Amino acid sequence: MAARTNIVVVGGGLAGMSAAIEALRQTRHVAGVTVALLEKEVRTGGNSGKASSGINGVLTRTQQDKDIHDSVDAFMRDTLKSGGGRSNETLVEKLVRDSTQAVSWLQGDFGLDLDVLARLGGHSFPRTHRRPDVNGKPQPVGWGIVSTLGRHLSELAGLEDARFKLITGARVIRLLPGTRGSVSGVVYEAVDADTRVIQQHSMLSDVVVLATGGFGGEGSRPHYLKQYAPQLVGLPATNGAFATGDGLGLATAAGAELVDMDQVQVHPTGFVKSSDPGNPTKFLAAEALRGEGGILLNGLGRRFVNELDTRDHVTDAMSRFCSAPDTRARHSGSAEEIRGEPLTAAFLVLSQAAADSFGHGALGFYEKMGLVSRAEGLDGLAAALRVDQAVLHRTLEDHDGARDSGSRDDFGKTVFPQRALNPPASSEDKSQARDYYYWAIVTPSIHYTMGGVRFDHKTRVLRASDAAPIPGLLAAGEVTGGLHGANRLGGNSLLECVVYGREAGRQAAAILADPSSA
């Protein structure tokens, strides 16, 4: 016999968790309403747990405390400009207008200390919130958010009222059809705890929320990537191997339309680890590294781009200026030791001031992982990068000259968060001076899929045949398409998950109250 619940959420990343929490809150006074969250992995979190730069928000408490005079209009302009004319303006407007509440929800309801602000590429104000180091230790923003919400849901799952059920290791393979083209539940596979045999289970429901993520982790079996963006097949990726686009197949089988599937974001800065340069899965070099003053250099020690431009523009510049044998950044070592190094790579360099601004907790973590190295003095940095010291000095000096004059540099950069050159130590404090530079090699890596299931601002999945909502089917997060257009701004992914995840929870509750609203 099939199990029965009112709302099924498929996917346990931030969008799915936000949907489940909001659905439970909206129905807390309605007797007998139950919610189930199905996650195919053994634990929740998804790619949301990997997010490292932060979550965007406008007119937030943190912005007010830091006297940042941002606006809804400015945030909307930045997001639409980044989308290259492909973003659905109604979806963008909701994302931006609900961003204040999204951040305050995490801060107020869950006590998350989103107190550090950065201005990432493509943003006109500092609005990307992350967590501060505590006692010299980093607090990764994505992991902090999903682990906090995950603990909350685990506590709800343990309550005697049985309103919420969390099932991990459950891979949904089919949506159950209902009457008049609706969706009435799911079929999922799970390993039986006693027999260790995979068994199929059916779960009937009034509403299904798809929050299954994108397809950036397809790896060696690139079904969607090969079909829609074959030119990117073979690039490394920052995604977990679980990001295989499961929800896209589920939705299209139910008649849903897909949109912008050829729009795949390649992040310019995936770390290249010296001991494992050919690994196809890259650890993301947080965009906040550049937002706090890190600069990009080619293999000759020269800048080539505005580091705070949008991700697509920075990636394009790396492809043009960091792909030749003499301009590509490379680790030192024998041919055997560096086998598999990417064909496009740049140096990411932080001065002492930029490192201090970014935070030594996270930077120290990168160092321990073997992703970031430290060099003493400009001569030490030139030696580590194997570039001419005079060229390197001139490059950093030119950057600081533009910063000091307040002018636009040769790459169109007008915001210079920190100086690139460490200041010379005075005779009085020479013994106390810190003259370190921090550097890494980074390469473009598949990071995010802008395309997905077409949906509206109420998270209703739209049918391909007539653009009408499919009754009983909602979606939120990276599984959806149409919001980000041609390029997603850094910090908008976690925001999207909270804004549209919570909206899906609200809409699911509304459907229970009035089935005609589906």
Side-chain angles (χ1 to χ4, degrees):
M1 179 180 293
R4 171 76 187 167
T5 190
N6 296 104
I7 300 167
V8 173
V9 179
V10 185
L14 181 56
M17 288 193 282
S18 298
I21 290 170
E22 189 64 25
L24 288 164
R25 192 183 78 83
Q26 293 287 336
T27 59
R28 63 191 182 280
H29 300 309
V30 183
V33 171
T34 59
V35 178
L37 189 154
L38 308 182
E39 164 57 48
K40 71 176 182 179
E41 298 295 300
V42 296
R43 59 179 61 87
T44 57
N47 277 324
S48 305
K50 292 171 168 257
S52 54
S53 286
I55 178 171
N56 293 330
V58 66
L59 306 178
T60 64
R61 182 187 74 202
T62 305
Q63 280 192 324
Q64 293 171 1
D65 289 346
K66 297 182 182 298
D67 201 29
I68 304 298
H69 300 287
D70 199 357
S71 69
V72 168
D73 287 344
F75 190 7
M76 276 199 66
R77 283 196 303 271
D78 292 344
T79 302
L80 290 170
K81 181 180 179 182
S82 178
R86 300 184 68 122
S87 299
N88 180 305
E89 291 195 25
T90 302
L91 297 178
V92 171
E93 182 174 5
K94 179 173 180 60
L95 179 82
V96 170
R97 292 193 181 280
D98 286 10
S99 68
T100 313
Q101 186 183 53
V103 174
S104 65
W105 181 65
L106 294 172
Q107 291 175 318
D109 287 25
F110 297 98
L112 284 156
D113 48 350
L114 300 169
D115 302 331
V116 179
L117 283 176
R119 177 177 175 174
L120 303 188
H123 292 269
S124 54
F125 290 91
R127 62 170 72 102
T128 308
H129 300 63
R130 70 178 192 273
R131 308 179 72 199
D133 293 349
V134 173
N135 298 323
K137 295 183 178 180
Q139 294 193 99
V141 60
W143 174 247
I145 293 173
V146 298
S147 61
T148 299
L149 270 60
R151 283 193 298 272
H152 176 71
L153 285 173
S154 293
E155 292 170 2
L156 293 179
L159 296 178
E160 293 182 0
D161 63 7
R163 289 193 63 226
F164 176 65
K165 180 177 289 188
L166 173 62
I167 306 175
T168 57
R171 179 175 174 268
V172 174
I173 59 172
R174 190 165 70 253
L175 300 181
L176 292 172
T179 58
R180 298 179 293 107
S182 66
V183 170
S184 63
V186 301
V187 177
Y188 68 93
E189 294 179 337
V191 176
D192 184 89
D194 297 322
T195 65
R196 310 307 299 169
V197 174
I198 296 176
Q199 295 185 346
Q200 286 192 6
H201 306 266
S202 295
M203 181 175 285
L204 300 175
S205 67
D206 300 288
V207 187
V208 173
V209 178
L210 291 179
T212 51
F215 57 92
E218 289 185 310
S220 60
R221 303 178 67 182
H223 171 68
Y224 290 109
L225 197 65
K226 187 175 181 180
Q227 182 177 354
Y228 293 103
Q231 74 279 9
L232 302 180
V233 172
L235 278 184
T238 63
N239 285 217
F242 45 76
T244 52
D246 297 6
L248 305 177
L250 297 174
T252 53
E257 182 180 5
L258 302 182
V259 61
D260 291 339
M261 288 292 288
D262 59 336
Q263 301 302 305
V264 176
Q265 183 171 80
V266 178
H267 197 291
T269 59
F271 280 121
V272 179
K273 191 172 183 177
S274 60
S275 61
D276 192 15
N279 194 319
T281 301
K282 300 300 184 192
F283 201 98
L284 182 67
E287 192 157 335
L289 287 161
R290 288 175 283 129
E292 300 291 2
I295 62 171
L296 293 171
L297 307 176
N298 67 11
L300 299 175
R302 297 189 175 101
R303 288 181 63 228
F304 56 91
V305 70
N306 170 8
E307 291 85 358
L308 295 183
D309 208 336
T310 54
R311 292 172 175 177
D312 53 342
H313 289 166
V314 177
T315 296
D316 288 346
M318 287 179 68
S319 297
R320 291 198 306 273
F321 301 113
C322 302
S323 297
D326 61 334
T327 61
R328 181 172 68 243
R330 302 185 68 184
H331 285 291
S332 61
S334 66
E336 183 65 30
E337 290 171 327
I338 62 175
R339 177 175 295 176
E341 278 199 312
L343 298 179
T344 299
F347 293 115
L348 172 65
V349 176
L350 282 77
S351 65
Q352 189 68 59
D356 292 345
S357 182
F358 177 72
H360 287 276
L363 203 58
F365 171 76
Y366 291 151
E367 286 188 84
K368 289 179 182 178
M369 290 277 290
L371 303 171
V372 169
S373 299
R374 187 187 312 193
E376 186 168 2
L378 192 65
D379 55 343
L381 179 63
L385 273 51
R386 295 178 295 157
V387 301
D388 184 277
Q389 185 174 339
V391 171
L392 180 61
H393 183 270
R394 187 162 57 251
T395 295
L396 305 190
E397 192 174 51
D398 288 347
H399 171 280
D400 291 350
R403 182 180 190 271
D404 294 342
S405 67
S407 61
R408 182 185 299 268
D409 73 4
D410 293 341
F411 310 104
K413 190 171 186 175
T414 58
V415 176
F416 304 83
Q418 301 294 339
R419 296 181 65 84
L421 271 171
N422 289 342
S426 66
S427 57
E428 292 83 8
D429 67 358
K430 192 169 286 188
S431 63
Q432 302 297 320
R434 295 180 300 159
D435 187 15
Y436 290 111
Y437 292 92
Y438 299 81
W439 66 275
I441 292 181
V442 292
T443 189
S445 305
I446 293 169
H447 182 59
Y448 188 90
T449 50
M450 277 79 71
V453 176
R454 190 184 290 277
F455 76 133
D456 66 11
H457 67 287
K458 292 184 178 182
T459 71
R460 298 177 299 187
V461 174
L462 305 181
R463 198 159 35 219
S465 60
D466 57 5
I470 298 174
L473 186 59
L474 308 174
E478 196 175 352
V479 70
T480 64
L483 170 60
H484 303 294
N487 182 70
R488 177 177 65 77
L489 278 180
N492 270 356
S493 178
L494 292 179
L495 176 62
E496 168 192 23
C497 289
V498 174
V499 167
Y500 282 105
R502 293 186 71 201
E503 182 64 25
R506 286 190 285 268
Q507 292 298 326
I511 290 171
L512 296 185
D514 178 13
S516 66
S517 66

